């Protein structure tokens, strides 16, 4: 049955319009305190603010470099700093978090004096793919949420250095042709699309599964001249042997590449090279949350030798090679790269 006129342009599931707030409340376990749900809701608000600023960036002279470099020595874009500030200011006083780790700050973020510490830790990359901002390419915010290790003594470095297998939830907010929030709290992957005139995230896909037949492989081919020969073999296998034939797509904006491969099937690879022995992608707030989402959607994430979710971080800003996507495509990387 066609929905009544005027509703046909709203995302609906089984003829129902479901807001993110409704979905979060309806799907939280009975025993839940509501703390995690509230963190999600604040992240959705952050997504609305960052999405709005991203769209206005060209008008407001927010594009371009802010004249500083972050902890990885990369130039910080003005929007990176703004996105980071939005997330900290929305979350540091709510009493739900005990610590935050962000790509933009060298040390982990403490809860300011005078505010209660909560039981969760938020790790995030406020604006991933930011080297693409100036050219109007889709970018995103990636996040992961952990429980503190000791509720009696919350907010320590150890709380921040947990392996991805202990994530309570993870997701990303994607600033593309529309703004989308995609998350999992351990029971499937769900996406919400921002209805811009109402400012509401509406459920657009429930229980996303990576299609069994993948469509794409994504890697920066220009790094190929320095790959080990096993990596060359892997790429040849993807390009020349895999059936059905895969198409090559690489945006160079991780959330955008991951999102496309999640919906259409495929693998995103950022391998090690002699110049970048640990690749480029950060373990804590990029690789682990996306590997968690991939596994929740029936896929897999590996560093080429082991499951990404089993890597215990020793540093906040540690990098890792990544292969994330359909399980068979990622397992083939592990098989071929054993001796790389
Ligand atoms: P960016 O430097 O623009 O922030 O992790 C950072 C990242 O982008 C990813 O979003 C992206 O997948 C990757 O780097 C692109 O790196 P290359 O330009 O080396 O391919």
């Amino acid at each position: 049955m066609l929905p009544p006129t005027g509703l046909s342009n709203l995302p609906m599931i089984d003829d129902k319009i479901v807001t993110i707030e409704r979905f979060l409340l309806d799907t939280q376990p009975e025993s839940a305190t509501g703390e995690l749900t509230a963190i999600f809701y604040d992240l959705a608000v952050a997504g609305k603010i960052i999405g709005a600023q991203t769209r206005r960036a060209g008008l407001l002279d927010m594009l371009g470099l802010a004249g500083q470099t972050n902890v990885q020595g990369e130039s910080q874009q003005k929007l990176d700093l703004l996105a980071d500030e939005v997330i900290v200011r929305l979350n540091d006083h709510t009493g739900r978090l005990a610590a935050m780790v962000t790509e933009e700050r060298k040390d982990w973020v403490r809860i300011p004096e005078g505010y209660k510490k909560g039981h969760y830790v938020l790790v995030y990359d406020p604006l991933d793919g930011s080297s693409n901002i100036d050219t109007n390419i889709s970018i995103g915010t990636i996040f992961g949420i952990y429980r503190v290790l000791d509720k009696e003594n919350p907010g320590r470095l150890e709380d921040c250095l947990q392996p991805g297998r202990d994530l309570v939830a993870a997701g990303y907010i994607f600033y593309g042709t529309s703004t989308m929030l995609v998350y999992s709290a351990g029971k499937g992957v769900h996406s919400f699309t921002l209805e811009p005139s109402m400012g509401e995230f509406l459920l657009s896909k429930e229980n996303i599964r990576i299609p069994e037949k993948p469509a794409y492989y994504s890697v920066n081919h220009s790094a190929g001249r320095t790959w080990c020969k096993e990596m060359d073999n892997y790429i040849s296998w993807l390009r020349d042997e895999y059936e059905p034939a895969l198409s090559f797509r690489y945006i160079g904006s991780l959330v955008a590449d991951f999102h496309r491969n999640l919906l259409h099937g495929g693998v995103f690879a950022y391998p090690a090279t002699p110049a970048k022995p640990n690749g480029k992608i950060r373990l804590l707030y990029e690789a682990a949350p996306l590997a968690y989402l991939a596994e929740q959607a029936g896929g897999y994430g590996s560093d080429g030798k082991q499951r990404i979710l089993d890597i215990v971080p020793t540093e906040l800003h540690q990098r890792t090679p990544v292969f994330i996507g359909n399980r068979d495509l990622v397992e083939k990387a592990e098989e071929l790269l054993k001796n790389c």
Side-chain angles (χ1 to χ4, degrees):
M1 193 179 67
L2 280 176
T5 326
L7 290 186
S8 56
N9 56 0
L10 292 178
M12 284 192 232
I13 302 285
D14 298 335
D15 291 339
K16 294 185 197 75
I17 301 171
V18 183
T19 63
I20 194 164
E21 192 175 14
R22 179 84 265 134
F23 188 85
L24 290 170
L25 289 170
D26 287 354
T27 53
Q28 71 180 13
E30 266 177 34
S31 56
T33 59
E35 265 184 271
L36 185 62
T37 300
I39 297 170
F40 277 129
Y41 198 68
D42 285 339
L43 287 169
V45 175
K48 289 181 204 174
I49 300 173
I50 299 167
Q53 294 292 340
T54 305
R55 277 192 304 280
R56 292 167 60 81
L59 293 170
L60 295 178
D61 191 28
M62 296 287 288
L63 299 175
L65 305 179
Q68 297 173 34
T69 50
N70 66 10
V71 64
Q72 343 278 340
E74 296 158 343
S75 302
Q76 283 177 308
Q77 305 273 339
K78 290 181 196 171
L79 270 175
D80 286 21
L81 300 179
L82 181 129
D84 185 48
E85 205 60 34
V86 166
I87 294 176
V88 169
R89 287 182 189 226
L90 269 168
N91 288 286
D92 68 354
H93 58 279
T94 59
R96 293 172 195 125
L97 295 180
M100 285 179 261
V101 179
T102 153
E103 186 194 20
E104 302 304 332
R105 300 178 195 217
K106 188 166 186 242
D107 201 2
W108 55 280
V109 181
R110 272 85 174 160
I111 300 306
E113 289 287 318
Y115 294 108
K116 183 180 153 247
K117 284 186 201 162
H119 298 145
Y120 291 96
V121 173
L122 175 67
V123 298
Y124 65 94
D125 180 351
L127 217 48
D128 180 72
S130 51
S131 64
N132 296 297
I133 294 173
D134 277 358
T135 45
N136 224 348
I137 286 170
S138 303
I139 47 182
T141 300
I142 306 175
F143 62 88
I145 301 170
Y146 290 93
R147 248 182 223 104
V148 293
L149 296 172
D150 177 2
K151 281 190 177 177
E152 302 306 315
N153 189 9
R156 294 170 301 146
L157 177 64
E158 295 93 297
D159 291 323
C160 304
L161 293 175
Q162 298 191 53
R165 61 172 179 253
D166 293 336
L167 277 162
V168 177
Y172 55 85
I173 306 159
F174 180 35
Y175 313 106
T177 44
S178 48
T179 299
M180 292 186 86
L181 189 150
V182 179
Y183 91 96
S184 175
K187 291 207 175 104
V189 180
H190 317 292
S191 75
F192 300 81
T193 304
L194 184 67
E195 208 295 312
S197 59
M198 290 163 18
E200 278 287 355
F201 277 107
L202 301 177
L203 182 64
S204 44
K205 277 204 169 78
E206 209 174 343
N207 277 319
I208 298 173
R209 305 292 295 171
I210 299 185
E212 271 173 33
K213 282 193 181 159
Y216 301 117
Y217 76 97
S218 315
V219 66
N220 187 339
H221 265 290
S222 71
R225 63 178 77 178
T226 59
W227 285 335
C228 60
K229 72 171 185 332
E230 290 84 352
M231 184 63 200
D232 271 340
N233 294 342
Y234 179 55
I235 295 298
S236 306
W237 178 79
L238 290 171
R239 191 187 52 212
D240 306 326
E241 291 175 45
Y242 192 82
E243 289 295 340
L246 299 174
S247 239
F248 165 68
R249 292 274 194 289
Y250 188 71
I251 298 169
S253 179
L254 181 55
V255 171
D257 279 309
F258 178 86
H259 186 72
R260 183 201 53 242
N261 291 356
L262 176 72
L263 297 188
H264 296 288
V267 60
F268 174 91
Y270 206 112
T273 61
K276 295 178 186 164
N278 295 315
K280 180 178 185 192
I281 307 301
R282 288 64 156 193
L283 173 61
L284 198 56
Y285 41 78
E286 294 182 310
L290 296 183
Y292 176 87
L293 289 171
E295 289 200 9
Q296 283 291 321
Y300 180 45
S302 169
D303 69 355
K305 305 223 175 336
Q306 60 178 322
R307 183 183 180 222
I308 285 175
L309 296 188
D310 285 339
I311 306 174
V312 183
T314 52
E315 286 168 34
L316 297 175
H317 301 287
Q318 181 172 336
R319 297 174 194 268
T320 178
V322 299
F323 298 83
I324 303 182
N326 283 66
R327 183 167 276 278
D328 62 332
L329 299 180
V330 177
E331 284 179 347
K332 187 71 177 181
E334 285 183 334
E335 180 197 319
L336 293 179
L337 292 169
K338 254 189 266 146
N339 304 317
C340 183

